[in-house]
Every structure is written in structure tokens, then in C-alpha cells.
Amino acid sequence: MNRMNAVKPSLARQTEKCNIKEDKEAWLYLQAWPNPVFEGDALTLQCQGWKNTPLSQVKFYRDGKFLHSSKKNQTLSMGAATVQSGGQYSCTGQVMYIPQIFTLTSETVMVQVQELFPPPVLSATPSPEPREGSLVTLRCQTKLHPLRSTLRLLFSFHKDSHTLQDRGPHPELCIPGVKEGDSGLYWCEVAPKGGQVQKDSPQLEVRVQAPVSRPVLTLHHGPTDPAVGDMVQLLCEAQRGSPPVLYLFYLDEKIVGNHSAPCGGNASLLFPVKSEQDAGNYSCEAENSVSRERSEPKKLSLKGPQVLSTPTSSNWLVPWLPVSLLGMMVIAAALLVYLRPWRKAAPNKMVKQWPLLKDPQEEDAFHREQKSIPLM
């Protein structure tokens, strides 16, 4: 019996070792704190043995990839947590049970880093395209997580490459009387007071709309006044005004053409002079989303009537046609009066001088007689 009692402890120890081999994860576990974890928190991992069993050769893993190893230290500091710090963590460590050493693996622990506040959004009131001289309010909007609502957020505002307002408690920035030079790319930055998290908003383009100035119209043609058939260039320019600018060209009050300038600047129109009616007062108008302005009129004169009446088609014959017909009728009547006595006398004289001769011999004698008559 004593011998049997002596064997029992030995069997118990062997059974305990087998259980360790079969259920290693029950002897090792991983802890992560704080819990829950937010952005900016100092994330710490601790690998522990059952009943604080000493561990050696501790290794940490995230999503199955090796992170860090230590011969004796069972704690790993991950620094300030970010959203990217989340994942499935585990650890391994060696436990000595004389005379054997076992390498144990913990269960995986899911670590989820929660967002302290979403990225801010910058808006402009009343519009990101305000009219020059108006008041613009920039508002930087975000919201803390309900579990961290006691934190204090600080806001800063930036334009292009410089800072408009450094970190402060106010989420708004007012810009009174904006000018065209205030146009640009704006963004804001948010950070908790004393924290290590900071987030920028997407850039917001602000385009201040300046009214157009009164345009100036210039007429370009040759050194002298143009004539019918010539080309005249109308050039219209507004010195300032936010693009796009639409230019309209007028002859008196009738629109003769238009041109758009998407990037601002001037616009021109080639205008053909087709008739005397194209002479008159020309002007142009500049218009954008803010205002509309009209230029001073410019008078276009054409060359004298001798140039304007230069025949360009058969229409020039029409005014002279009645005069020509009247002249021809007078000439025809004079000819009739002049030739009428000759028409009456000629037949009688011809009968006396050239009687009808039927015999050829008589006809030859008659011709010889006519040749011998002297000419008067």
C-alpha cells in the first residue's frame, strides 16, 4: 500500500505536465489598456502567466506579425494610439517547469482604437464666393466622442501658406470687408488641449467676387475713316472684375456681337462695314456675376458719299434709268422730224432718174449716159 501511495504523486505531476502541454493558452493571457482606447491614449500591452508565473523570452504580435521581443520584460508600451494602432494582438512566453521549459501562446485580443473626434469640416458663410466688401464667417466644425466630451478643443485657421489665427477656443473666424486679394485656399486645424492628436480639414477655396469696372471701347481701323467693305475691330476691356466676364457689343442699342472672357481680360470683335447704316455710335458692356457696366459710346464715321456710292452691284443703274430713257426719246424724235422730207421726195426723184428698163441693151445705154453726166 505504501508503495502505491508513493506512486500516486508521481502520476499527478505527470498528468499536470500533460495538461500544460494540451492547454498552453490557459496559462498565458494578454491585456491592453486603457479600455476603451481613444486616439492619443498611451496604449500599453502586458503579457502575463497564470498566477503571475514568471515568463521569459516574451514576444508580441499584431495581426500575426512580429512586433517586439524581450527576455524578461512582460510589458510593451505602444506610445500614443492612432486609429491604425488597432488590430488583433497576442504574445508568447516561456514558462519553466523543472525539468522542462514550455513556450506558451496567449489568446488573441482585439484592440479597437476609437476616434476622439472626426476630421473637421470648414465652411464659409454666406458663401465661399462672397461679394467684395461683404462679411465672411469661417466655421470649423467637429464633435468630441461622448465618452470624452469633457475635453477642450482648440482651433486654428490657415490660408495658403500662412496662419490667420493660432490655436484658440473659438471655432469661428470673421473676415470683414473681404477683398479680391482674400481669395485663396483655407483650412482649419483642431487639437485637444494638452493632447497629441491634431486633425486638418479639407481645403476650402474662397473666391471673392469683385464687380467689373466701367469698360473702355476702342475702334481700330485704317489711318482714315473706313468705307463700305472695310473691317473694323472693336476692342472692349474692363480693368478689373472677377472672371468670367461677358462682353456685349452694341451699335446704338442693337447688339452686334458678344464674347466671353473666362479668365478675365479684354475681348475683341471684327465687324464688317456693309452699308452706310453701319455708321453710328458703338459701345460695349462688361458683365459678371456681381455687376454690369457700359462703356462710353464711340462714333464711327464713314468716308464721303463718292466712296459710299461706288458701284458694287447693278443697283447703281436704277437712279439714272429714267433720265437715259428721256434723252433717247428726244434724240429719236429729232431724227424723225429731220428725215421726214427726204422720205417723201426720194421716191419721185428716183423714178425720174432711174426709169424701169427691161431691155438689156437699153439698160447699158442708160448707164453710159449716167456716167457722162457731170457731177454738181
Side-chain angles (χ1 to χ4, degrees):
M1 294 293 297
N2 294 335
R3 185 177 179 181
M4 293 295 297
N5 292 334
V7 172
K8 287 181 179 180
S10 176
L11 291 175
R13 284 194 296 271
Q14 290 179 5
T15 303
E16 184 179 356
K17 291 180 180 180
C18 290
N19 291 336
I20 292 175
K21 293 179 181 179
E22 293 175 358
D23 192 13
K24 295 178 182 179
E25 292 182 352
W27 291 81
L28 196 66
Y29 60 94
L30 179 69
Q31 283 186 323
W33 74 84
N35 187 24
V37 185
F38 284 91
E39 294 174 303
D41 291 346
L43 177 61
T44 303
L45 304 177
Q46 186 173 27
C47 192
Q48 289 182 306
W50 185 65
K51 291 185 179 181
N52 292 325
T53 302
L55 301 174
S56 62
Q57 302 298 327
V58 178
K59 296 180 180 179
F60 294 89
Y61 299 85
R62 182 176 68 186
D63 298 329
K65 296 181 180 179
F66 173 76
L67 279 179
H68 182 76
S69 65
S70 176
K71 291 183 178 181
K72 294 182 178 181
N73 196 354
Q74 300 175 207
T75 302
L76 175 63
S77 176
M78 297 289 292
T82 65
V83 175
Q84 291 73 28
S85 301
Q88 294 186 358
Y89 288 83
S90 62
C91 66
T92 62
Q94 292 182 354
V95 179
M96 180 176 291
Y97 288 95
I98 299 176
Q100 296 185 17
I101 298 177
F102 300 96
T103 299
L104 307 178
T105 302
S106 71
E107 292 184 350
T108 58
V109 175
M110 182 64 186
V111 176
Q112 184 176 1
V113 180
Q114 299 192 54
E115 198 172 44
L116 186 60
F117 57 89
V121 176
L122 184 65
S123 61
T125 305
S127 167
E129 295 187 356
R131 182 169 181 170
E132 189 176 47
S134 62
L135 171 67
V136 176
T137 301
L138 300 177
R139 182 176 291 109
C140 189
Q141 295 175 304
T142 189
K143 188 176 182 181
L144 281 166
H145 192 282
L147 296 178
R148 297 295 178 91
S149 59
T150 58
L151 291 177
R152 186 181 181 186
L153 293 177
L154 302 177
F155 303 86
S156 60
F157 293 86
H158 309 268
K159 174 183 178 289
D160 297 331
S161 59
H162 60 277
T163 300
L164 300 176
Q165 176 180 293
D166 209 348
R167 289 186 178 181
H170 302 293
E172 294 183 354
L173 175 66
C174 294
I175 307 176
V178 291
K179 302 178 180 61
E180 196 171 9
D182 292 323
S183 299
L185 296 175
Y186 290 77
W187 77 94
C188 65
E189 181 187 88
V190 181
K193 186 176 182 179
Q196 301 185 31
V197 181
Q198 64 179 38
K199 296 183 180 182
D200 296 340
S201 72
Q203 291 183 332
L204 173 68
E205 183 178 9
V206 175
R207 297 175 58 188
V208 180
Q209 300 298 303
V212 292
S213 59
R214 191 173 193 182
V216 175
L217 178 67
T218 307
L219 305 180
H220 292 285
H221 48 80
T224 61
D225 292 336
V228 173
D230 291 345
M231 298 292 291
V232 176
Q233 184 186 32
L234 311 178
L235 180 65
C236 188
E237 182 177 15
Q239 292 294 329
R240 63 187 303 271
S242 298
V245 178
L246 176 65
Y247 289 97
L248 300 173
F249 297 88
Y250 294 85
L251 170 54
D252 296 326
E253 293 302 320
K254 179 183 177 182
I255 296 178
V256 294
N258 65 77
H259 186 79
S260 178
C263 301
N266 57 38
S268 63
L269 177 70
L270 284 176
F271 183 75
V273 179
K274 298 179 180 179
S275 67
E276 296 179 45
Q277 296 179 352
D278 291 332
N281 292 319
Y282 285 81
S283 61
C284 69
E285 189 175 75
E287 177 184 0
N288 66 358
S289 61
V290 181
S291 66
R292 175 189 300 178
E293 292 289 341
R294 189 85 167 258
S295 71
E296 287 284 347
K298 289 292 182 68
K299 185 174 181 60
L300 178 65
S301 300
L302 301 182
K303 288 183 180 179
Q306 70 278 7
V307 177
L308 294 178
S309 61
T310 301
T312 57
S313 66
S314 60
N315 294 336
W316 70 278
L317 293 172
V318 176
W320 297 99
L321 187 57
V323 178
S324 301
L325 292 175
L326 180 59
M328 292 176 65
M329 292 174 65
V330 172
I331 295 173
L335 288 174
L336 288 174
V337 173
Y338 179 74
L339 294 176
R340 182 173 296 176
W342 293 94
R343 291 179 61 187
K344 293 180 179 180
N348 297 330
K349 187 175 181 180
M350 293 295 292
V351 171
K352 293 178 180 180
Q353 292 181 358
W354 293 283
L356 181 61
L357 301 175
K358 297 183 178 180
D359 188 349
Q361 295 181 357
E362 293 178 2
E363 185 177 357
D364 292 338
F366 175 76
H367 284 295
R368 285 194 298 270
E369 181 182 356
Q370 292 297 324
K371 290 181 179 180
S372 63
I373 296 174
L375 296 176
M376 296 301 292

